[in-house]
Amino acid sequence: MRTSIFDLFYIGIGPSSSHTIGPMRAAKRFVVDIETSGLLAEVATVNIFLYGSLALTGIGHHTDKALLLGLLGEEPETVDTLTINKRVKTITDNGRLLLLGKQVISFYPSSDISFLKRERMMHHSNGLYFIARDDTGVILKEEKMYSVGGGFVMTQEEISKKFISHLGHDANVINPFRTGKDLLDLCISKNKSIADIMLENEMQRHSKEEIEAYIDSLWAVMQETIDRGLNTTGILPGGLKIERRAPDLFKKLKTNFMPDGGAEVLDWLSVYSIATNEENACGGRVVTAPTNGSAGIIPAVLKYYDKFCKPLDKQSLYTFFLTAGAIGFLYKENASISGAEMGCQGEVGVACSMAAAGLAALLGGSPANIECAAEIGMEHNLGLTCDPIKGLVQIPCIERNSMGAVKAVNAARLALKRTDQKISLDRVIQTMKETGEDMKAKYKETSKGGLALHKVAC
Ligand code: SF4
């Protein structure tokens, strides 16, 4: 078992985990490897080639900016989001970049980053190829990498071995599981909850205090993101001229602007998820859960629990994240959480499934109820395509998170009342994988099909 909650949930920047965070990490990793080889002082130029989905939707997903930040040595978790545009403009204007903040090279983003829209690398749609040369043009280092979803990065060699790279976790764990059935069997044989099983595994890498502090920090950032989204007006960047909706919806909700027919809860789920995804669309600070495109679902469901079910205490928070993390792990290991591989079922579908499982745990569900909630959460997202208009993580992504949050609550509630589950979570994950593989490339984060072909009145 290699995927930890520290890998699935992390503090990063928008708008995309696979197209923003992954490329930033890949660029930094490439340059750090050069420095480790003692060659950094010899580098005069770097060329970057983007393939497949990264080439087709990279501009809308800020892939070019992310690459520059990675070359500068920045991390998604800590980069100052308020200075990004200014720093990118300085590099573009001057044609110079300070690799890792240490080595000046010539770098013109418009010519040194190539978007190869008709080409695809062998192993994955999100391919990157880096080349560093000295001042005589001799190649010092070249590397092919892949951004495989959720901010995970793999080299050519690693992807061949299916080795998760970005944090390098590969510990043997006390409770190994690979499938939902393994997980349920463990819960029964050890008489423990899914969260307990996951916690024991995490504790082989981190102390309990570290795990809890990490979850606390995730929740703090999720709430900050929601608060910013609820209170920031303006137009989303990228050219679709979409006005941010969360502040107005929030204002109306606070004044009970319309008869709700008992459906007020839907509006609250929507406003929380939209607030997060509008922040994500602006390149703001968000928690990847498990991707940026689907970052609004889990925070919205947690806020829903806190507002409508029971005040969210620390123990409930830990239970939620550990449970949702266990479910996310099953998708990561047995299918994919990449929109470029699975379509949106791999992002919004997975987030919905994880949130449904976490909520079912908080509502007192047994491990079997939780597995059922996760199954329902994905079952009704099967076949969901990824077709973002103009390659921006806005339409359909922002509203889609609101739908995902609503479905997650419904899935948890249905699962808690269900006694005759016919389809297992393992079966639905396998179906999602097969469906994603069967899906035409135009529906997998290429903006070449579906809604992406429709003109939007701007
Ligand atoms: S449609 Fe779904 S998978 Fe595609 S970019 Fe939007 S949120 Fe991500």
Side-chain angles (χ1 to χ4, degrees):
M1 175 180 167
R2 300 187 179 105
T3 309
S4 153
I5 60 162
F6 286 71
D7 304 334
L8 280 169
F9 301 104
Y10 51 84
I11 299 162
I13 59 167
S16 168
S17 39
S18 57
H19 289 55
T20 316
I21 291 176
M24 192 190 301
R25 285 184 168 146
K28 178 164 184 185
R29 182 173 171 181
F30 177 69
V31 189
V32 167
D33 286 349
I34 294 175
E35 185 180 43
T36 306
S37 316
L39 296 171
L40 189 67
E42 295 177 43
V43 180
T45 62
V46 171
N47 293 97
I48 306 170
F49 301 89
L50 302 175
Y51 296 81
S53 172
L54 281 184
L56 288 160
T57 63
I59 293 291
H61 287 54
H62 303 182
T63 305
D64 47 348
K65 291 183 189 174
L67 289 167
L68 300 189
L69 293 168
L71 294 177
L72 291 170
E74 291 287 358
E75 301 273 356
E77 293 84 349
T78 51
V79 64
D80 179 357
T81 55
L82 299 177
T83 63
I84 290 174
N85 286 340
K86 193 171 161 212
R87 294 169 79 188
V88 168
K89 184 172 185 313
T90 303
I91 294 167
T92 307
D93 290 348
N94 299 338
R96 289 155 72 85
L97 184 151
L98 204 54
L99 279 185
L100 293 183
K102 298 173 184 170
Q103 169 71 4
V104 178
I105 63 165
S106 160
F107 197 89
Y108 292 91
S110 59
S111 54
D112 289 323
I113 302 176
S114 302
F115 293 80
L116 305 178
K117 295 184 178 177
R118 293 174 184 275
E119 296 181 40
R120 187 187 191 281
M121 274 166 48
M122 184 179 18
H123 294 294
H124 193 285
S125 182
N126 292 336
L128 307 102
Y129 178 32
F130 295 88
I131 304 175
R133 293 185 172 86
D134 68 13
D135 58 6
T136 65
V138 170
I139 293 177
L140 298 169
K141 180 171 177 64
E142 56 187 317
E143 183 86 67
K144 287 181 178 166
M145 294 198 210
Y146 298 87
S147 177
V148 297
F152 290 81
V153 170
M154 302 168 96
T155 62
Q156 181 99 320
E157 191 185 348
E158 287 164 348
I159 204 167
S160 308
K161 294 179 190 164
K162 288 280 175 193
F163 178 74
I164 306 301
S165 72
H166 89 271
L167 289 176
H169 288 154
D170 191 17
N172 291 320
V173 291
I174 192 167
N175 299 311
F177 65 89
R178 188 163 194 95
T179 65
K181 181 176 182 311
D182 294 344
L183 186 56
L184 287 182
D185 288 348
L186 273 168
C187 290
I188 292 166
S189 66
K190 298 187 109 183
N191 195 22
K192 287 184 187 287
S193 69
I194 290 176
D196 289 340
I197 295 288
M198 198 65 181
L199 180 63
E200 286 183 356
N201 284 352
E202 295 289 351
M203 284 178 65
Q204 294 193 266
R205 303 172 181 128
H206 307 280
S207 70
K208 190 160 182 268
E209 291 71 32
E210 284 172 340
I211 295 162
E212 292 178 351
Y214 186 70
I215 294 173
D216 288 342
S217 70
L218 295 173
W219 182 228
V221 172
M222 284 179 170
Q223 292 182 95
E224 284 163 18
T225 304
I226 288 175
D227 286 346
R228 269 199 320 280
L230 293 179
N231 293 294
T232 309
T233 54
I235 305 288
L236 299 178
L240 291 177
K241 296 189 181 161
I242 297 172
E243 180 137 14
R244 291 171 75 130
R245 274 186 292 173
D248 186 53
L249 183 53
F250 184 46
K251 207 161 95 191
K252 287 174 173 160
L253 267 171
K254 284 192 295 185
T255 53
N256 298 321
F257 73 107
M258 58 188 271
D260 63 33
E264 180 197 10
V265 63
L266 304 183
D267 292 338
W268 283 102
L269 281 160
S270 294
V271 81
Y272 293 138
S273 59
I274 288 172
T276 300
N277 285 86
E278 288 182 346
E279 277 297 299
N280 182 61
C282 291
R285 177 81 63 218
V286 294
V287 174
T288 301
T291 67
N292 278 39
S294 60
I297 294 171
I298 281 177
V301 170
L302 276 166
K303 288 286 273 187
Y304 151 82
Y305 177 82
D306 184 53
K307 188 173 177 64
F308 291 98
C309 301
K310 214 172 161 188
L312 185 64
D313 59 28
K314 294 251 180 187
Q315 193 50 53
S316 301
L317 191 65
Y318 307 145
T319 298
F320 184 98
F321 273 95
L322 289 162
T323 307
I327 301 303
F329 162 80
L330 296 175
Y331 287 100
K332 183 84 186 66
E333 295 296 306
N334 295 298
S336 165
I337 57 170
S338 163
E341 277 190 293
M342 294 286 115
C344 200
Q345 55 172 0
E347 296 204 14
V348 164
V350 172
C352 176
S353 180
M354 291 167 67
L359 180 61
L362 297 197
L363 295 175
S366 66
N369 292 141
I370 293 167
E371 187 257 12
C372 182
E375 182 275 314
I376 297 171
M378 173 53 76
E379 186 179 307
H380 305 288
N381 281 299
L382 286 174
L384 199 61
T385 59
C386 170
D387 49 1
I389 294 180
K390 280 187 92 176
L392 298 165
V393 191
Q394 296 178 13
I395 303 175
C397 319
I398 295 171
E399 273 180 8
R400 189 161 284 176
N401 275 254
S402 139
M403 298 300 167
V406 170
K407 269 189 200 174
V409 172
N410 199 17
R413 297 182 68 83
L414 284 172
L416 288 171
K417 299 179 192 83
R418 183 145 193 185
T419 53
D420 60 340
Q421 187 180 351
K422 303 289 189 199
I423 308 284
S424 70
L425 176 59
D426 291 331
R427 177 58 64 92
V428 89
I429 292 175
Q430 181 62 26
T431 304
M432 169 224 173
K433 182 170 187 284
E434 289 165 5
T435 306
E437 288 167 353
D438 287 346
M439 215 180 258
K440 288 185 176 174
K442 67 182 184 176
Y443 299 119
K444 294 194 277 191
E445 213 161 1
T446 57
S447 288
K448 291 175 95 175
L451 278 178
L453 297 183
H454 291 271
K455 290 228 179 321
V456 176
C458 294

